[in-house]
Amino acid sequence: ALVCKTLTDGFENSDNRPDVQRCQNGIDELARMVCVVPEAYSLQPLAALAYVLWWVGQDEQALACALRALTLDDDCTMAAIVVCAVNRGVHPAWLECGDRE
């Protein structure tokens, strides 16, 4: 229920803005994980990285990470969601309002 509410809020509530520094810290750490773990273990960090990149409006990087994750496991739901969102131009509500911080 919490995940559903969080995702719905992200798509509908333009006041639900990310903490940009916190997101960047997460992006940096997830990218480090991807670089240091064996490729077989990089699937979930790649999928999470793709989602956070999408959340902050970095579509090209998000798509690259999601596609790489899907090459490791074509059943990775999070990566597939990010690919679909980017390809369809779907963004979080805070980006759609045109008032990026």
Side-chain angles (χ1 to χ4, degrees), residues 62-99:
L63 184 59
C65 290
L67 290 172
R68 185 167 168 205
L70 288 170
T71 64
L72 298 172
D73 180 356
D74 60 2
D75 288 329
C76 181
T77 305
M78 179 60 71
I81 289 170
V82 171
V83 168
C84 288
V86 171
N87 285 340
R88 294 179 180 177
V90 175
H91 298 99
W94 80 274
L95 288 174
E96 294 292 337
C97 74
D99 183 29

